[in-house]
Amino acid sequence: MAERAPTNAEIVRALEAVVALMEIRGDEHYRVLAYTRAAESVANHSGSVAALDDPKSLPHVGGTTSQFIADLVEGRMPPVLDELMEEIPRSLVEVTRLPGVGPRTAGRLWKELGVTSVEEVAALDPEEIGKLKGFGKKSAEKIVAAAERYDATERRLLLDDATAIGEALLAFVRSHPSTDRADLAGSLRRGKETIGDLDLVAASTDPAALSDAFAGADFVREVVAHGPSKVSIKVDGPRRSPDDLVDVDLRIVRPEAYGTLLHHFTGSQAHNIVLRERAVKRGINISEYGLASEATGGEPEPVATEEELYERLGLSYIPPELREDAGELRAAENGTLPDLIETGDIRGDLHVHTNYSDGKGTIRSMAEAAIELGYEYLVFCDHSQSLRVANGLSPERLARKLREVREADEEYDEIRLFCGSEVDILKDGSLDYEDALLAELDFVVASVHTSFGVGEKAMTERIRRAMNNEHVRTIAHPTGRVLNRRDPYEVDVQALIAEARATNTALELNAYPDRLDLKAEHARAAVEAGVKLTIDTDAHDESALGFMRFGVAQARRAWVEKGNVINTLPLREFEAYLKAGK
């Protein structure tokens, strides 16, 4: 099997591993900076770095880092990485990913306590860390708690990674001549925030041939089980390292039995249990093989579609995203299931970044990408001045950006361009720009990026104060979580929902796959309280505009309908919404 060229993301991770190991070792700043800048340059490159004739054509990539990239592309271990891993346990890189633990802290845990892995951090008594200079009891407890849950989160795929892998596998299955139907199943089909493993279901006229083809495909790294009706394999995960493999199950049936199999392996388990209980009361037994009753002599009768399955049980069809035993059966029985929002309902994106702050795209390149998606409007919301790490805009730079957005808006007939800002909510709840400047903007998104540890009461009051500003239209990523990396900050979400309703402030459902913030339970509570949502990508480049599908999937899990979301408004109605103010 031919060795595949590394993706940009894999090259970035290797460069970042060198950065982390150098910082642990205490290398000079200029050496660390060279690899840091190279990683940023690779991340910003729109094409395949592996396809470049010379990596030195990238900004900030010199001779040393160029050779490093070339080694990776040609399948060699770069000497500097080999040297660092000889000296420093590679597993310490994982330790640096724990919330509150950077390279220097990881280095101290290694040098002073002999810790070399996340598992060893989890086994520590917090008092051992607390005895080290510069550590307190609370910070030590947080580090150990983060390590304890690391394996359960870090090993789970984010929705975009799971979707990319799953859809590639699905395309292979659907391309086989014997395949009649095939779908993704499991938690990925239900749009869960993170995915543990992948399930596929196929209907085939020649199950054995499809099974053999799947087990023998180039993407297979290990065959765990192989039979005519089920294949279990391991494939590369997003990091494509030996310890980053994803479990995949393919189940194959004849076309006439497809419906119950797809339903069974879509789940959730809780939904399937309550559905089985309902069926038993009707004298029917549900299994993955079909429906059995006295009328069938106790033998499972195949069911070809999920729609037929639900109809036989006296229910409306329940979309996969709702199958969590959260009232969906009652709603299906009563005919009150929501008319769920779809990606095609979205008319614009209200929170995207450009190269004015920490984005990669320009105003015009982002606009043209939005036009390709069929959007009617786009709102540019670069960071405000205090967030220097994200190249936040001074008032003078914001004024220049405002002029450029107005000029670009005149150039495009297909789309309206608006100038906004993602304004930081400062520690005391005030905003990062004066009201007079905010009044000049079309749309203001407010968010928290610093001082996460102020406590629930202070954080709640901080955001509530921002909501009471007449210019703030939505609160971005309201709980601040980063999936697999950072827990939400302490905040009373129910109090935020109440304040959002009182102040006519929307709450954002951030579609970026590592955020998906609000989570589904909070988004559902918000719409039930009458609060409007915005579903925004927080895109920092053109491709990230495509993350909208993940935000919509999260919204569907929250029972959200088109009318609950501001950016489903047609352009003229959206303009009227802006003009009306709060």
Side-chain angles (χ1 to χ4, degrees):
M1 185 164 50
E3 188 70 28
R4 293 178 294 166
T7 64
N8 290 5
E10 291 157 358
I11 295 171
V12 168
R13 291 187 187 103
L15 288 162
E16 288 176 342
V18 171
V19 169
L21 292 168
M22 282 183 168
E23 288 187 326
I24 289 170
R25 188 168 67 179
D27 282 18
E28 294 181 7
H29 177 67
Y30 76 89
R31 293 195 70 203
V32 177
L33 186 60
Y35 285 89
T36 301
R37 286 180 169 171
E40 292 171 351
S41 188
V42 172
N44 294 345
H45 186 64
S46 57
S48 169
V49 168
L52 293 175
D53 291 333
D54 185 359
K56 280 191 288 188
S57 62
L58 296 171
H60 307 299
V61 172
T64 301
T65 50
S66 173
Q67 185 58 53
F68 181 96
I69 293 169
D71 286 339
L72 291 174
V73 170
E74 293 168 18
R76 297 188 298 270
M77 170 66 79
V80 65
L81 186 55
D82 193 33
E83 170 200 329
L84 285 162
M85 289 193 299
E86 280 290 318
E87 183 178 344
I88 304 165
R90 174 68 183 269
S91 53
L92 278 175
V93 175
E94 297 284 316
V95 177
T96 68
R97 294 176 180 148
L98 294 175
V101 179
R104 295 187 184 280
T105 299
R108 290 192 61 196
L109 294 175
W110 171 47
K111 293 170 184 174
E112 298 179 44
L113 295 178
V115 168
T116 63
S117 68
V118 172
E119 291 76 14
E120 290 176 4
V121 175
L124 288 174
D125 186 325
E127 290 186 4
E128 294 180 77
I129 301 176
K131 290 176 183 176
L132 302 180
K133 185 178 179 180
F135 288 92
K137 179 182 178 183
K138 191 171 182 179
S139 63
E141 289 173 347
K142 285 184 176 180
I143 289 170
V144 173
E148 288 174 341
R149 61 178 177 269
Y150 180 82
D151 192 62
T153 57
E154 175 64 16
R155 305 304 174 191
R156 293 183 66 83
L157 296 169
L158 294 177
L159 196 50
D160 60 329
D161 288 329
T163 298
I165 297 169
E167 290 184 346
L169 297 173
L170 181 62
F172 178 90
V173 173
R174 286 179 171 172
S175 71
H176 193 273
S178 76
T179 300
D180 182 76
R181 288 187 61 189
D183 289 284
L184 293 166
S187 54
L188 180 55
R189 187 172 182 233
R190 302 199 317 275
K192 294 285 284 186
E193 296 162 350
T194 60
I195 311 298
D197 48 35
L198 298 176
D199 294 284
L200 294 92
V201 173
S204 174
T205 54
D206 189 349
L210 176 57
S211 171
D212 290 346
F214 192 71
D218 286 346
F219 49 71
V220 176
R221 293 292 167 264
E222 179 183 339
V223 177
V224 179
H226 178 198
S229 62
K230 178 182 176 181
V231 185
S232 296
I233 60 172
K234 293 180 183 290
V235 301
D236 284 330
R239 290 192 294 273
R240 278 185 53 200
S241 62
D243 62 345
D244 182 38
L245 297 177
V246 178
D247 293 317
V248 180
D249 285 341
L250 170 65
R251 291 172 173 84
I252 310 168
V253 292
R254 293 285 178 177
E256 60 270 19
Y258 187 72
T260 45
L261 188 79
L262 175 61
H263 180 272
H264 179 82
F265 287 106
T266 294
S268 68
Q269 183 179 14
H271 172 84
N272 287 355
I273 287 171
V274 295
L275 194 68
R276 283 200 299 269
E277 290 172 350
R278 177 185 178 86
V280 167
K281 292 176 182 178
R282 293 172 168 245
I284 299 172
N285 289 314
I286 303 177
S287 73
E288 61 194 89
Y289 306 107
L291 302 182
S293 65
E294 285 187 13
T296 67
E299 291 298 315
E301 179 183 4
V303 177
T305 68
E306 289 184 319
E307 287 81 359
E308 181 186 347
L309 169 65
Y310 283 112
E311 183 180 356
R312 295 269 294 271
L313 297 174
L315 298 171
S316 303
Y317 174 76
I318 299 175
E321 298 92 339
L322 299 186
R323 300 178 195 174
E324 300 292 345
D325 187 23
E328 69 273 14
L329 261 67
R330 189 181 310 111
E333 184 176 41
N334 298 335
T336 57
L337 283 169
D339 184 10
L340 294 178
I341 187 171
E342 298 179 359
T343 304
D345 294 326
I346 299 295
R347 302 293 189 98
D349 198 327
L350 309 184
H351 177 185
V352 305
H353 296 259
T354 72
N355 59 359
Y356 266 92
S357 61
D358 60 342
K360 312 301 187 296
T362 65
I363 287 170
R364 287 165 178 80
S365 69
M366 295 294 282
E368 288 163 14
I371 290 169
E372 287 294 315
L373 293 172
Y375 286 167
E376 298 176 26
Y377 47 90
L378 187 66
V379 184
F380 298 103
C381 289
D382 285 294
H383 289 288
S384 60
Q385 57 190 339
S386 71
L387 202 64
R388 295 178 183 174
V389 69
N391 194 27
L393 276 66
S394 66
E396 294 76 21
R397 291 177 63 223
L398 180 57
R400 288 201 299 274
K401 178 193 165 188
L402 180 58
R403 288 193 297 272
E404 184 176 349
V405 171
R406 297 288 185 255
E407 291 168 1
D409 183 50
E410 292 293 323
E411 298 172 14
Y412 295 100
D413 294 330
E414 308 96 322
I415 194 168
R416 277 296 316 275
L417 304 179
F418 296 98
C419 185
S421 177
E422 183 180 8
V423 180
D424 260 43
I425 304 172
L426 305 180
K427 191 173 182 179
D428 64 355
S430 62
L431 298 177
D432 201 20
Y433 291 135
E434 298 293 332
D435 279 356
L437 181 53
L438 296 177
E440 296 181 32
L441 300 173
D442 300 312
F443 192 80
V444 175
V445 176
S447 59
V448 172
H449 288 106
T450 58
S451 301
F452 296 141
V454 297
E456 180 181 291
K457 183 177 179 181
M459 183 64 80
T460 304
E461 289 306 309
R462 175 183 181 181
I463 299 175
R464 287 176 63 182
R465 181 180 173 188
M467 288 181 180
N468 280 274
N469 184 289
E470 63 177 316
H471 303 294
V472 172
R473 305 309 294 266
T474 189
I475 301 296
H477 40 76
T479 71
R481 71 175 183 178
V482 179
L483 293 168
N484 290 356
R485 287 288 183 270
R486 185 176 72 211
D487 289 339
Y489 41 66
E490 295 178 352
V491 65
D492 184 342
V493 178
Q494 293 303 322
L496 296 187
I497 290 171
E499 197 71 21
R501 180 177 180 178
T503 59
N504 192 24
T505 306
L507 296 176
E508 180 186 77
L509 198 166
N510 189 292
Y512 219 88
D514 64 357
R515 286 194 183 272
L516 294 177
D517 181 11
L518 293 167
K519 67 179 184 179
E521 295 89 335
H522 291 153
R524 185 174 178 182
V527 298
E528 288 176 349
V531 173
K532 294 290 187 181
L533 302 178
T534 61
I535 305 178
D536 306 316
T537 61
D538 200 354
H540 284 61
D541 60 37
E542 298 84 355
S543 65
L545 288 170
F547 289 157
M548 185 64 74
R549 63 186 292 198
F550 305 124
V552 170
Q554 180 84 330
R556 289 171 65 88
R557 294 183 61 238
W559 297 52
V560 172
E561 298 184 307
K562 175 181 176 180
N564 303 132
V565 178
I566 287 169
N567 48 315
T568 63
L569 293 172
L571 174 59
R572 297 304 169 216
E573 293 180 32
F574 179 67
E575 290 175 324
Y577 158 80
L578 293 180
K579 185 176 181 180
K582 291 173 70 174

